[in-house]
């Protein structure tokens, strides 16, 4: 899980200028965030047990553009400063855990909070050029490789592409893993909106509900994924501009999952692709979409 630990002497020396700029002058007042499950060390620090200090070129920009002045469950930017080419921001510390292994109840909270943001921005700016650019950069190259592995689904690939451009657009997170939802016992906080943009609404759904560890285990259970999606849909349907019916929503969720697993398959060793869990999942998703298209 994501934890914070004491700094080493080398880390204090490396970031001392940054900490001083943030008004902290003692290593005893700083802890560094690490992910023990994924063996990652982040350039993210806890200052005096109250503020999170993070290196980011975009968090301040995205917060001011999309979240300032709104009552969304997104931690505000408290301050920002520049050190060389790097921008650093501070924000309030959320004392909780991320949403990996979350209960269905907490997953539902995450779904509702995401939907509140996306309902507000639903249909705000069609952004056709941005959508086309995103599709070319982040989707098409993965799909082309998947077509080679699943040649019998050419019509499904065409339907997926068409839906990508016809689906309602809203603000998406674009890295909405359970790691980026924090639970403090009462609330769900959605963090790290670095890549936020106006794109097809469904893109965040599969990443939260159906992505897992390297050993193939999913970050959240099937019951929690179901609760997340049901709460999201229920909240979105409160907006009369969201006219996606339940059947179409299920297909959109599958397309979102397809976007994730086609990327995972893309990076597999070609000689071992067919033996991988990602390949099996991608085949199941395509099979579901094939049946759904005939329903």
């Amino acid at each position: 899980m994501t934890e914070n630990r004491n700094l080493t002497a080398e880390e204090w020396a490396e970031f001392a200028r940054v900490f001083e700029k943030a008004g902290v002058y003692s290593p005893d007042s700083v802890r560094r965030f690490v992910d023990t499950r994924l063996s990652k060390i982040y350039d993210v620090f806890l200052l005096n047990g109250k503020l999170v200090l993070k290196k980011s070129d975009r968090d301040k920009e995205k917060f001011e553009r999309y979240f300032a002045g709104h009552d969304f469950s997104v931690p505000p930017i408290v301050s920002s400063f520049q050190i060389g080419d790097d921008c650093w921001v501070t924000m309030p510390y959320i004392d909780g855990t991320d949403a990996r292994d979350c209960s269905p109840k907490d997953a539902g909270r995450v779904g509702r909070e995401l939907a509140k943001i996306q309902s507000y921005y639903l249909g705000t700016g069609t952004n056709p050029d941005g959508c086309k650019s995103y599709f070319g950069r982040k989707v098409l190259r993965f799909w082309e490789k998947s077509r080679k592995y699943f040649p019998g689904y050419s019509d499904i690939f065409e339907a997926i592409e068409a839906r990508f451009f016809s689906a309602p657009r809203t603000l998406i997170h674009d890295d909405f893993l359970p790691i980026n939802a924090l639970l403090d016992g009462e609330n769900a906080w959605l963090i790290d909106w670095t890549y936020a943009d106006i794109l097809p609404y469904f893109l965040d759904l599969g990443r939260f509900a159906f992505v897992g560890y390297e050993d193939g285990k999913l970050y959240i259970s099937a019951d929690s994924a179901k609760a997340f999606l049901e709460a999201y849909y229920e909240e979105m349907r409160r907006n009369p501009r969201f006219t996606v019916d339940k059947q179409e929503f299920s297909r959109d969720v599958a397309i979102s999952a397809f976007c994730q697993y086609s990327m995972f398959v893309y990076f597999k060793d070609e000689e071992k692709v067919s033996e991988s869990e990602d390949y099996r999942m991608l085949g199941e998703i395509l099979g579901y979409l094939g049946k759904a298209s005939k329903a």
Side-chain angles (χ1 to χ4, degrees), residues 27-287:
D28 295 334
S29 300
V30 183
R31 293 176 67 84
R32 190 169 194 173
F33 285 94
V34 298
D35 193 313
T36 54
R37 181 178 289 178
L38 300 179
S39 300
K40 288 186 177 181
I41 301 175
Y42 301 111
D43 286 343
V44 183
F45 305 90
L46 179 60
L47 308 181
N48 296 313
K50 297 179 178 179
L51 289 177
V52 172
L53 173 68
K54 175 186 177 184
K55 182 167 70 173
S56 173
D57 295 328
R58 298 182 184 176
D59 280 72
K60 182 173 182 288
E61 171 200 339
K62 300 294 185 180
F63 182 82
E64 291 176 347
R65 182 184 301 178
Y66 297 118
F67 304 113
H70 297 291
D71 188 25
F72 297 137
S73 290
V74 176
I77 301 298
V78 175
S79 65
S80 64
F81 56 86
Q82 201 78 19
I83 297 287
D85 294 331
D86 297 325
C87 177
W88 292 81
V89 299
T90 62
M91 59 193 70
Y93 172 54
I94 306 299
D95 188 7
T97 60
D98 65 52
R100 287 175 291 184
D101 301 323
C102 65
S103 68
K105 182 177 180 180
D106 282 332
R109 286 173 174 163
V110 174
R112 281 189 290 275
E113 295 304 329
L114 178 64
K116 287 176 184 177
I117 294 170
Q118 295 193 335
S119 178
Y120 181 86
Y121 283 102
L122 188 67
T124 304
T126 55
N127 192 23
D129 292 336
C131 193
K132 185 181 295 184
S133 173
Y134 183 96
F135 184 80
R137 289 182 294 107
K138 290 195 171 184
V139 178
L140 189 59
R141 64 189 178 115
F142 303 137
W143 290 16
E144 289 301 326
K145 191 169 184 178
S146 296
R147 286 178 191 267
K148 181 178 70 173
Y149 296 131
F150 297 94
Y153 288 95
S154 59
D155 56 333
I156 302 303
F157 281 89
E158 291 173 4
I160 292 172
E161 182 172 350
R163 182 59 178 163
F164 191 94
F165 290 101
S166 67
R169 296 177 194 170
T170 188
L171 180 69
I172 70 158
H173 184 288
D174 202 29
D175 192 26
F176 199 60
L177 291 165
I179 295 169
N180 287 325
L182 299 181
L183 305 163
D184 66 4
E186 296 182 0
N187 304 298
W189 297 87
L190 314 187
I191 65 171
D192 290 345
W193 290 81
T194 301
Y195 305 108
D197 204 351
I198 304 297
L199 290 163
Y201 85 94
F202 54 73
L203 286 174
D204 285 337
L205 302 180
R207 195 159 180 80
F208 185 88
F210 304 119
V211 173
Y213 321 142
E214 292 182 359
D215 63 4
K217 181 183 176 183
L218 296 182
Y219 280 133
I220 65 175
S221 69
D223 287 343
S224 292
K226 181 180 178 181
F228 163 75
L229 294 169
E230 287 180 346
Y232 173 90
Y233 185 75
E234 180 181 321
E235 183 66 32
M236 288 293 282
R237 287 290 288 179
R238 294 176 62 183
N239 186 336
R241 290 181 289 124
F242 188 74
T243 58
V244 177
D245 65 30
K246 200 63 178 286
Q247 186 176 27
E248 189 171 40
F249 178 69
S250 295
R251 289 195 296 266
D252 287 343
V253 170
I255 291 173
S256 180
F258 172 81
C259 290
Q260 298 306 312
Y261 280 92
S262 62
M263 178 179 67
F264 299 154
V265 166
Y266 177 89
F267 288 107
K268 293 291 183 184
D269 185 327
E270 291 201 24
E271 295 180 356
K272 299 179 180 179
V273 165
S274 62
E275 303 172 8
S276 70
E277 181 69 10
D278 294 331
Y279 176 89
R280 185 191 68 78
M281 286 289 292
L282 187 58
E284 284 192 8
I285 294 165
L286 284 168

